[in-house]
Amino acid sequence: MRYHSERVASLINEELSKIIVREIEFPNCLATIINVESDKKFTKAIINFSILPFEKSEEALKILEKNRVHLQYLLMKKINIKPMPKIIFIARS
């Protein structure tokens, strides 16, 4: 079962990275997903991301949180996981 959660986290990382590149614009900064952590029941997926320059991380976090529901909807259309984990964004330095 551990391997399954790692595969799901990897798939979410790959697809969400593509979606963010297409859908979200960050002013004067670069956002990169570092890793995705999923719990065993797939109720939540914690998305750790990095922002350069780090001073813009609060602004980028607000943009991601504002678009979280839309990003989750697009992710659900791309990958068929039941239940779809709720995505939570955390900025890392």
Side-chain angles (χ1 to χ4, degrees):
M1 192 66 165
R2 173 97 173 113
Y3 181 68
H4 181 65
S5 67
E6 289 175 3
R7 284 183 38 202
V8 169
S10 175
L11 185 60
I12 290 172
N13 186 346
E14 181 181 330
E15 292 300 327
L16 191 59
S17 294
K18 293 175 188 176
I19 291 169
I20 288 175
V21 166
R22 275 194 329 263
E23 299 289 328
I24 306 295
E25 186 173 327
F26 297 100
N28 301 321
C29 64
L30 173 67
T32 305
I33 294 178
I34 299 171
N35 72 336
V36 176
E37 300 168 6
S38 179
D39 62 348
K40 292 180 182 178
K41 295 184 179 182
F42 304 114
T43 57
K44 62 182 175 180
I46 300 172
I47 315 299
N48 296 304
F49 68 96
S50 175
I51 300 294
L52 292 176
F54 187 71
E55 296 80 34
K56 301 273 187 176
S57 63
E58 288 297 321
E59 185 179 336
L61 183 59
K62 288 178 185 176
I63 292 169
L64 288 170
E65 283 298 324
K66 178 181 169 190
N67 292 293
R68 184 183 59 79
V69 174
H70 180 64
L71 291 171
Q72 192 160 337
Y73 170 74
L74 294 173
L75 185 62
M76 185 176 60
K77 285 177 60 176
K78 275 298 218 192
I79 57 178
N80 189 13
I81 299 174
K82 302 289 188 221
M84 174 57 76
K86 177 182 178 185
I87 55 176
I88 301 167
F89 293 102
I90 298 178
R92 301 282 181 198
S93 57

